[in-house]
């Protein structure tokens, strides 16, 4: 534009009315402000992104370390010795996930209130009373010197990254917290911060404590037989245990305490019911870093070379954990340039942000996967407390006491005194609700006078220091089955099923962990009277040599999916609350079908099994649902969808949408009138077993709606009502036309940020991802669980999937639910989500050549000076 034309336009603008010029100025100023704010926001979000190329000088390294990252930002680390290797792992994890690490250490230390304020006080009270960090401090003195060295090197690497950084350059979450008024600077990382993470794992995977509370709550006004109907026994005749032939002696009989069989008065029933409801809520106050609920489980299996295309074993694993952002797991490879005594690691797989090494994965010789063994390692004990003593075996013993300070952001400091009995810490001291349990719980006729109420103590194997950290690094170094079992010997808590395969053609299974030996007649299903020594644990653990183990099972495969590990004649009580085995049995049938047909398995076939969506309740319930005669074509529309349904739950399935809506409605109509809200069915595997049994009892009292006076409903009436109400619900939610229904429109997965995802709309938009449609269900192999009382959204899911090919490790596959990075501005924040949703996986390079070919970024950490 020429200068004369520009001056002409300016003269024209000056001739505009004043209000028009003012409006134009305001719009321009607003646009400029939006540009400035947008640029500032982008800069704020992008500032913490890590350097992934070039060279960084860091203090404390012995030699240069290479960090190669692939297209998904997954780091493979190469070093000359173990000290440098774990130093670099700490540095790189801090680059990607430090805020996540920092939150986890605040949770495990009972210091979350320092970050998020009063909302976390109840959690901190519980964690301080349990003393997670105190136990971790004692474990630091117990572990092998080499393990301690690895933890110290890892901490040095984290702190090298922290040194000199402002919080705004660490993560955008710190910036958001600062905008809310938090004045905070992270402390240096320590080995205890890593060890305490193992306590969080053990807490989330602790076994049946919630069931212990729930059973006691139900026993208040129901007979033992009625309680057992809601907690059916494992179906050994239909669902194979992991090792069904591991037997030696008769199992101990179940014990039912006296207070579970009496009929207390209405007022006392109500008081106990309210107290026990509150117990469950209080225990749930601790953030679930892995997840909670009946959907918390895993699949793992190994197939020997006789059934594979390559002639070498295959191993698959997909742990089912809570859905959150950032991802629960962190992918990495740790490679010594030359293997030797000073550097014995060449391993790749999954670990947790904040913990060095590899938890699940493979090295150059073996591969291993994990599922939750879920043994009963907790018991609640009622304690008769008087002043600073408690009663035991007719004597008054002194309570063990210690003081704790809890700093609360915005509120100052709170002081508490933690007290413990011989059984464990008194949770009732920091919980009014647990104190109420002691005040109202029924006990036997020989119990001491209640006074102001009994205390409630927790016995838990994880409160005894053990060298579990040693096992993690020993697994990474293991070269064969014997090394693997020696590593498993130290894997104390949480107890995990370990599935094994190696490059010599072997597959196997090992159950490790600290499992208490209870006295005859005690099975941990109900709280125990702490004053009676006959209720104590024996002080012994199930010997490692007698824990279930098998190398090369005769059938050529081993499947572990949280089902019973042994048959009922196994001499030790592991638990009475196994997963009922629907996933494990489906995996077995899919493997057997291919083997019987003469088809060999490959990586693709293993992945197909991982993403199988068949609903085990479908073939059981659908024949009953086809019996009622619908009152109109409108209601028959839904029922007709079930005629040719194949029982799979793909995201686009209209039949699955209708069936699961019927299932949810059926659970509500059958149980909500009979059970307190906290006991309403979530619809997962235990309830599949419950309803399967009830379908054979058309006149069971559970079918009757207790809210309808003078009417007794039976099974078929409830089923017909469920069919009609489900049709109405889908009409309201989705469409009047069944052609518009799909399971994925109801069943969605959202990755919500663990600490700030429920905050402001800005935080949610910045940090959360989804929702996205997804297939599967809680009792399917593709275990995308949902909680029926709350809706259809996913609560737990396969947190990662991996398939290891022992014939060629570079042909192995993996995928993460989310992404490698914890920074929302990173392209790797959730860049594996679409692959995960599609049931696909990513290449998993292991050899140096394969890693080099896949590498897109190369960072060299160089010794400073």
């Amino acid at each position: 534009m020429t200068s004369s034309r520009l001056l002409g336009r300016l003269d024209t603008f000056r001739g505009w009315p004043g209000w028009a010029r003012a409006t134009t100025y305001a719009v321009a100023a607003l646009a400029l402000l939006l540009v400035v704010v947008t640029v500032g926001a982008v800069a704020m979000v992008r500032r913490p992104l890590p350097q992934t190329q070039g060279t960084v000088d860091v203090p404390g390294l012995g030699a240069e370390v290479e960090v190669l990252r692939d297209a998904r930002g997954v780091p493979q680390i190469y070093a000359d010795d173990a000290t440098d290797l774990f130093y670099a792992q700490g540095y790189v994890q801090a680059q990607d996930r430090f805020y996540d690490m920092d939150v986890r250490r605040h949770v495990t230390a009972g210091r979350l209130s320092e970050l998020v304020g009063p909302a976390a006080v109840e959690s901190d009270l519980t964690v301080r009373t349990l003393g997670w960090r105190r136990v971790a401090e004692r474990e630091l003195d117990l572990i092998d010197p080499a393990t301690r060295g690895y933890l110290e090197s890892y901490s040095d690497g984290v702190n090298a990254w922290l040194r000199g950084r402002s919080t705004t350059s660490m993560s955008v979450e710190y910036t958001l917290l600062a905008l809310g008024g938090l004045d905070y600077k992270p402390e240096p990382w320590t080995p205890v911060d890593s060890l305490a993470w193992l306590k969080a794992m053990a807490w989330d995977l602790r076994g049946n404590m919630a069931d212990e509370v729930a059973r006691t709550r139900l026993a208040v006004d129901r007979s033992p037989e009625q309680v057992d109907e809601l907690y059916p026994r494992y179906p050994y005749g239909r669902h194979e245990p992991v090792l069904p032939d591991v037997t030696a002696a008769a199992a101990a009989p179940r014990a039912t305490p006296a207070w579970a069989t009496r009929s207390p008065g209405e007022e006392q029933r109500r008081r106990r019911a309210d107290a026990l409801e509150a117990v469950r809520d209080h225990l749930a106050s601790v953030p679930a870093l892995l997840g909670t609920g009946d959907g918390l489980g895993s699949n793992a299996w190994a197939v020997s070379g006789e059934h594979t295309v390559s002639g070498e074993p295959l191993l698959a694993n997909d742990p089912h954990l809570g859905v959150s952002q950032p991802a629960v797991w962190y992918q990495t490879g740790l490679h010594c340039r030359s293997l030797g005594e000073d550097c014995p690691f060449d391993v790749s797989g999954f670990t947790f942000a904040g913990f060095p090494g590899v938890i699940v994965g493979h090295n150059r010789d073996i591969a291993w996967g994990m599922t939750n063994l879920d043994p009963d390692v907790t018991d609640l004990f009622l304690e008769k407390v008087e002043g600073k003593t408690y009663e035991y075996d007719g004597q008054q013993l002194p309570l063990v006491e210690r003081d704790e300070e809890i700093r609360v952001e915005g509120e100052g400091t709170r002081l508490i005194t933690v007290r413990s009995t011989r059984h464990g810490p008194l949770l009732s001291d920091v919980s009014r609700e647990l104190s109420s349990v002691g005040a109202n719980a029924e006990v036997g006729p020989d119990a001491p006078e209640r006074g102001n109420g009994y205390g409630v103590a927790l016995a838990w194997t994880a409160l005894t220091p053990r060298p579990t950290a040693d096992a993690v690094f020993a697994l990474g170094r293991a070269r064969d089955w014997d090394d693997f079992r020696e590593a498993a010997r130290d894997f104390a808590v949480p107890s995990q099923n370990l599935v094994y395969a190696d490059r010599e053609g072997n597959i196997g299974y090992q159950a490790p962990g600290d499992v208490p030996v209870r006295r005859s007649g005690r099975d941990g299903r109900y709280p125990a009277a702490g004053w009676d020594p006959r209720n104590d644990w024996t002080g012994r653990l199930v010997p490692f040599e007698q824990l279930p183990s098998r190398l090369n099972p005769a059938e050529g495969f081993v499947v572990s999916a949280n089902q019973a590990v042994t048959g009922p004649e196994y001499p030790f009580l592991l638990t009475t609350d196994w997963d009922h085995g629907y996933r494990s049995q489906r995996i077995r049938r899919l493997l057997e079908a291919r083997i019987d047909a003469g088809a060999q398995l490959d990586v693709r076939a293993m992945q197909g099994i991982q993403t199988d969506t068949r609903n085990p309740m479908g073939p059981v319930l659908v024949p009953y649902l086809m019996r009622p005669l619908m009152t109109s074509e409108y209601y028959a529309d839904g029922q007709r969808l079930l005629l040719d349904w194949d029982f799979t739950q793909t995201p686009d399935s209209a039949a699955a949408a209708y069936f699961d809506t019927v299932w949810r409605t059926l659970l509500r109509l059958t149980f909500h009138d009979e059970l307190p809200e906290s006991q309403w069915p979530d619809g997962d595997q235990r309830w599949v077993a419950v309803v399967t049994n009830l379908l054979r009892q058309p006149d069971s009292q559970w079918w009757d709606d207790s809210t309808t006076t003078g009417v007794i409903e039976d099974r078929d009436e409830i089923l017909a009502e469920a069919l009609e109400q489900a049709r109405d619900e889908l009409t309201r939610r989705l469409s009047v036309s069944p052609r518009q229904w799909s399971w994925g429109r109801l069943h969605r997965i959202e990755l919500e940020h663990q600490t700030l995802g429920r905050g402001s709309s800005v935080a949610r938009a910045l940090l959360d991802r989804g929702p996205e449609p997804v297939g599967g269900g809680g009792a399917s192999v593709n275990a995308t669980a949902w909680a029926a009382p709350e809706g259809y959204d996913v609560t737990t899911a396969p947190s990662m999937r991996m398939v290891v090919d022992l014939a060629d490790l570079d042909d192995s596959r993996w995928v993460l639910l989310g992404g490698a990075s914890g920074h929302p501005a990173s392209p790797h924040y959730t860049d594996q989500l679409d692959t995960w949703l599609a049931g696909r996986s990513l290449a998993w390079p292991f050899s140096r050549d394969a890693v080099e070919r896949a590498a897109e970024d190369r960072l060299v950490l160089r010794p400073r000076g």
Side-chain angles (χ1 to χ4, degrees):
M1 182 181 295
T2 65
S3 58
S4 58
R5 293 178 63 187
L6 176 61
L7 291 173
R9 291 192 177 185
L10 288 174
D11 289 338
T12 301
F13 178 70
R14 294 189 190 102
W16 287 8
W19 63 268
R21 293 200 307 274
T23 300
T24 301
Y25 287 135
V27 170
L30 179 60
L32 180 60
L33 178 62
L34 289 173
V35 170
V36 171
V37 169
T38 301
V39 171
V42 170
M44 177 190 74
V45 175
R46 292 189 58 82
R47 187 179 182 190
L49 292 180
Q51 178 181 346
T52 59
Q53 296 180 340
T55 302
V56 178
D57 293 336
V58 292
L61 277 180
E64 287 188 354
V65 176
E66 293 176 279
V67 182
L68 306 182
R69 293 179 184 259
D70 65 12
R72 304 290 176 158
V74 176
Q76 304 281 343
I77 303 171
Y78 292 85
D80 289 336
D81 63 38
T83 298
D84 287 352
L85 188 67
F86 292 112
Y87 180 108
Q89 186 181 18
Y91 189 94
V92 169
Q93 278 198 3
Q95 282 188 306
D96 288 336
R97 298 278 192 92
F98 182 74
Y99 177 79
D100 193 19
M101 295 163 60
D102 199 19
V103 167
R104 289 176 175 182
R105 71 167 165 176
H106 275 79
V107 172
T108 58
R111 296 176 55 190
L112 189 58
S113 301
E114 295 177 18
L115 280 181
V116 302
V121 168
E122 193 171 5
S123 166
D124 286 348
L125 288 171
T126 302
V127 173
R128 292 290 188 92
T129 300
L130 292 169
W132 290 359
R133 188 174 179 86
R134 291 172 60 86
V135 179
E137 289 170 347
R138 293 162 63 193
E139 288 181 346
L140 187 61
D141 296 327
L142 186 66
I143 58 178
D144 186 86
T147 299
R148 183 168 184 155
Y150 301 152
L151 292 167
E152 289 172 347
S153 297
Y154 176 87
S155 298
D156 289 343
V158 174
N159 294 328
W161 181 84
L162 279 177
R163 193 171 295 116
R165 291 182 190 275
S166 66
T167 53
T168 56
S169 65
M170 293 178 187
S171 81
V172 71
E173 289 94 335
Y174 289 124
T175 302
L176 294 173
L177 289 172
L179 292 173
L182 179 68
D183 182 15
Y184 172 75
K185 182 176 177 60
E187 299 170 356
W189 194 265
T190 71
V192 174
D193 294 329
S194 296
L195 289 177
W197 167 249
L198 298 175
K199 303 305 158 190
M201 289 176 60
W203 178 257
D204 285 356
L205 303 174
R206 64 191 177 274
N208 76 336
M209 186 164 69
D211 289 333
E212 186 176 336
V213 172
R215 267 191 291 264
T216 307
R217 166 63 183 83
L218 292 168
V220 167
D221 51 11
R222 298 202 177 275
S223 70
E225 292 75 22
Q226 290 174 316
V227 174
D228 284 346
E229 283 188 300
L230 301 184
Y231 286 87
R233 299 191 180 204
Y234 187 83
Y236 288 102
R238 299 191 304 278
H239 295 169
E240 286 278 346
V242 179
L243 303 178
D245 57 344
V246 178
T247 60
R254 292 186 174 190
T256 303
W259 66 82
T261 61
R262 291 206 296 273
S263 298
E266 181 178 350
E267 176 62 19
Q268 191 163 21
R269 285 201 304 269
R270 183 190 62 77
R271 291 174 66 199
R272 284 186 304 174
D274 292 345
L276 287 164
E277 292 283 302
V279 170
R280 197 175 204 180
D281 294 342
H282 179 80
L283 295 176
S285 69
V286 180
L289 298 178
L290 294 181
T292 58
D294 203 27
L296 199 65
S298 306
N299 303 321
W301 67 95
V303 181
S304 71
E306 63 182 300
H307 301 311
T308 67
V309 172
S310 69
E312 298 294 336
L314 294 167
L315 183 144
N317 193 195
D318 55 289
H320 311 147
L321 304 175
V323 173
S324 65
Q325 184 64 22
V328 174
W329 295 98
Y330 184 87
Q331 296 157 296
T332 195
L334 302 172
H335 308 281
C336 295
R337 293 190 179 102
S338 296
L339 286 179
E341 185 175 343
D342 291 337
C343 205
F345 297 98
D346 190 11
V347 59
S348 184
F350 299 83
T351 187
F352 299 105
F355 198 91
V358 167
I359 305 290
V360 177
H362 71 82
N363 60 32
R364 61 172 59 185
D365 297 305
I366 75 166
W368 67 97
M370 295 186 186
T371 69
N372 193 16
L373 180 62
D374 209 23
D376 186 356
V377 295
T378 60
D379 272 342
L380 294 173
F381 284 84
L382 301 176
E383 306 282 12
K384 171 59 177 173
V385 178
E386 291 186 3
K388 292 181 177 293
T389 67
Y390 67 101
E391 182 173 333
Y392 179 76
D393 198 16
Q395 303 179 55
Q396 292 299 124
L397 303 181
L399 292 163
V400 177
E401 298 183 350
R402 71 174 189 274
D403 294 329
E404 296 273 356
E405 291 185 1
I406 297 177
R407 296 198 303 274
V408 183
E409 167 65 19
E411 288 194 358
T413 301
R414 298 191 185 189
L415 301 176
I416 65 168
T417 297
V418 176
R419 306 189 299 172
S420 299
T421 72
R422 64 184 289 117
H423 300 115
L426 283 168
L427 292 178
S428 48
D429 277 3
V430 293
S431 165
R432 182 177 63 255
E433 295 83 2
L434 278 168
S435 178
S436 181
V437 173
N440 297 291
E442 283 284 340
V443 295
D446 298 329
E449 287 296 323
R450 188 188 310 267
N452 292 328
Y454 299 120
V456 181
L458 173 67
W460 181 29
T461 57
L463 299 183
T464 300
R466 294 282 278 116
T468 300
D470 288 346
V472 174
F473 298 101
L475 286 171
R477 297 189 300 260
R479 295 293 174 253
D480 55 28
W481 173 251
D482 291 336
D483 287 350
F484 172 76
R485 290 199 72 219
E486 280 303 304
R489 185 182 297 275
D490 286 330
F491 209 111
V493 288
S495 299
Q496 298 290 288
N497 299 295
L498 298 177
V499 174
Y500 170 90
D502 66 33
R503 301 198 73 183
E504 296 299 317
N506 301 299
I507 64 171
Y509 167 88
Q510 177 66 54
D514 286 358
V515 182
V517 175
R518 291 177 170 82
R519 299 185 190 278
S520 178
R522 286 289 304 157
D523 65 6
R525 294 193 308 144
Y526 291 89
W531 50 85
D532 189 343
R534 292 174 297 180
N535 294 323
D536 284 359
W537 291 353
T538 63
R540 296 183 295 114
L541 301 173
V542 178
F544 179 78
E545 289 73 15
Q546 293 181 264
L547 286 167
S549 180
R550 183 65 49 80
L551 180 65
N552 294 326
E555 58 190 340
F557 62 84
V558 59
V559 176
S560 172
N562 311 116
Q563 81 272 34
V565 173
T566 68
E569 299 303 311
Y570 180 67
F572 298 101
L573 175 69
L574 298 179
T575 184
T576 61
D577 291 306
W578 301 111
D579 179 285
H580 281 260
Y582 296 102
R583 284 180 288 110
S584 63
Q585 199 63 18
R586 176 64 174 167
I587 294 167
R588 290 184 62 88
R589 287 175 180 170
L590 290 172
L591 291 173
E592 289 168 345
R594 293 186 66 91
I595 292 170
D596 291 345
Q600 303 290 80
L601 288 116
D602 57 13
V603 170
R604 183 186 295 265
M606 299 282 273
Q607 291 180 293
I609 295 173
Q610 286 180 322
T611 55
D612 182 80
T613 65
R614 182 181 172 91
N615 187 325
M617 195 63 198
V620 175
L621 182 57
V622 165
Y624 291 92
L625 295 178
M626 301 310 297
R627 294 180 182 182
L629 181 63
M630 294 292 95
T631 57
S632 67
E633 283 297 306
Y634 167 81
Y635 287 118
D637 280 346
Q639 191 183 44
R640 276 194 290 267
L641 289 174
L642 304 178
L643 281 171
D644 57 357
W645 181 40
D646 63 0
F647 310 125
T648 62
Q649 300 174 104
T650 56
D652 60 351
S653 172
Y658 181 61
F659 178 84
D660 282 299
T661 307
V662 172
W663 173 238
R664 179 177 182 236
T665 307
L666 175 63
L667 294 171
R668 173 174 55 80
L669 294 175
T670 306
F671 297 106
H672 283 204
D673 61 316
E674 299 279 359
L675 302 177
E677 185 174 349
S678 67
Q679 303 295 322
W680 285 354
D682 61 8
D684 218 330
Q685 51 86 26
R686 175 164 67 91
W687 293 98
V688 172
V690 169
V691 175
T692 296
N693 292 338
L694 289 181
L695 286 170
R696 296 190 289 267
Q697 306 171 54
D699 298 319
S700 167
Q701 56 89 22
W702 292 107
W703 297 116
D704 178 43
D705 184 351
S706 63
T707 65
T708 56
T709 305
V711 179
I712 298 178
E713 289 85 2
D714 61 18
R715 177 197 63 199
D716 293 340
E717 291 174 273
I718 295 300
L719 293 178
E721 183 66 17
L723 288 163
E724 293 188 356
Q725 289 193 23
R727 199 329 175 183
D728 290 338
E729 179 182 344
L730 287 171
T731 299
R732 292 191 303 270
R733 281 179 175 263
L734 302 182
S735 171
V736 69
S737 171
R739 294 179 181 178
Q740 302 300 315
W741 298 351
S742 68
W743 179 222
R745 291 183 65 188
L746 296 175
H747 190 51
R748 304 182 304 169
I749 190 167
E750 181 172 14
L751 304 185
E752 183 180 272
H753 193 272
Q754 195 162 27
T755 55
L756 301 180
R758 296 184 181 180
S760 67
S761 57
V762 173
R764 292 197 302 272
L766 182 63
L767 301 172
D768 296 355
R769 295 295 183 269
E772 299 287 348
V774 67
S780 301
V781 177
N782 188 11
T784 54
W786 48 283
E790 301 168 15
Y792 304 97
D793 289 340
V794 176
T795 55
T796 63
S799 53
M800 63 83 162
R801 299 186 184 106
M802 74 175 196
V803 178
V804 181
D805 185 348
L806 278 300
D808 184 349
L809 295 171
D810 288 331
D811 283 341
S812 302
R813 309 286 293 184
W814 62 356
V815 68
L816 194 65
L817 177 54
S821 177
H823 301 295
S826 169
H828 310 307
Y829 190 57
T830 54
D831 63 343
Q832 299 184 43
L833 178 58
D834 287 345
T835 303
W836 183 95
L837 288 168
R840 300 194 303 270
S841 61
L842 304 167
W844 182 357
F846 179 70
S847 69
R848 179 70 191 230
D849 287 345
V851 170
E852 288 277 4
R853 287 193 298 271
E856 295 201 352
D857 291 330
R858 182 189 303 267
L859 177 70
V860 176
L861 302 180
R862 186 171 58 188
R864 180 179 296 170

